[in-house]
Amino acid sequence: MLLDLTATSVELTRALCDIPSVSGDEKTLADAIEAAVAPLAHLEVIRHGNTIVARTNLGRAQRVAIAGHIDTVPINANVPTRDIEIDGVPYLWGRGTVDMKAGTAVQLKLAAELTDPAIDITWMWYDNEEVEASKNGLGLLAAVRPELFQADFAILGEPSNGEVEGGCNGTLRAIVRTTGVRAHAARAWIGENAIHRAAPILARLAEYRAKEVPVDGLLYRESLSAVRITGGVAGNVIPDACEVEVNYRFAPSKSAADAEAHVRGVLAGFDVEITDAAEGARPGLDAPIAQQFVAAVGAEPRPKYGWTDVARFSALSIPAVNYGPGDPHLAHHDEERVPLAQIDAVERGLRAWLTSH
């Protein structure tokens, strides 16, 4: 599979999306990306697993890391891509167009064309972003090649409607358990129904009101939600166990420990097990290099409500933002689609900053 890096960003987006790369199955696309950038004399190319790094070494005073993941959530009859028009606006429709192959396509085109940028660039295209953190290609690379992450600023091509979204919320998952006593459903009073005992958990979550938390000039919205419930033995048995999985999205001013304490407080009196937690990232927009970037692309900074890999850079004290084409609300949606104009606009914005910085 060959990628033509002289094509437009829109055409490259189509090509990337038409190569299926569901998490765990990115090798074909990673091979195509490596083959496309390896011949470029101005880039040093490094591969680790299915993560490709290509970087300039021009001795510039500053360096920016620009990253994009190459995997998608599972396909649901939305590959290959197709052109559609809604209210006179042309879109490219299909899995990955928003999250986030349009952003990756822009990065690949600029990586090929910017042979003499005003700032050194480390381009990173990585696998397994959409699944558990232990498989994340960016995280695995950082563990073995931390020197590749040295940068003054980082940009993730996550969908942001072509605007700059600073930092990201943190995320925590927990299992809340109730127990009971099994009995025949015909004699329910003999047992104790664990599913019924979960009702107060659901009531507390339903009554929970999301907080808005100001952090470094941006207003982050939190949420605490039940995302899964399991329980039951058989159609004629009173269940003796029930589990409610809870997801807490918390402002980047909170630590994971703060988030855990909050969840345990809301669900006091119940058995709560924290199963996963990832710190958020502060906006990082107070750094001069970040302010220069925002000014160059002409964007109005906004908060990022979802968790993204900007948090990995933030943990290394590297200010990081999200900047990419596509509406985040359509990420993972079966009607995933990106406006063609946004792809072009993000390319122009990045090109302008990288050549005039």
Side-chain angles (χ1 to χ4, degrees), residues 118-138:
I119 183 171
D120 267 315
I121 309 169
T122 301
W123 304 97
M124 297 177 159
W125 302 292
Y126 61 101
D127 61 332
N128 279 311
E129 190 271 349
E130 299 289 4
V131 291
E132 58 267 33
S134 62
K135 296 180 179 179
N136 184 290
L138 207 60

Side-chain angles (χ1 to χ4, degrees), residues 70-92:
I70 64 173
D71 62 320
T72 72
V73 297
I75 293 166
N76 188 23
N78 49 7
V79 168
T81 54
R82 67 173 187 260
D83 292 298
I84 65 170
E85 191 171 294
I86 300 176
D87 297 329
V89 177
Y91 290 82
L92 183 65

Side-chain angles (χ1 to χ4, degrees), residues 42 56-64 114-121 150 152 289 354-357:
H42 64 285
T56 64
N57 292 295
L58 301 171
R60 304 294 194 235
Q62 291 180 302
R63 177 177 291 275
V64 60
L114 300 184
T115 59
D116 189 32
I119 183 171
D120 267 315
I121 309 169
Q150 293 176 1
D152 300 283
I289 189 171
L354 291 169
T355 55
S356 65
H357 174 72

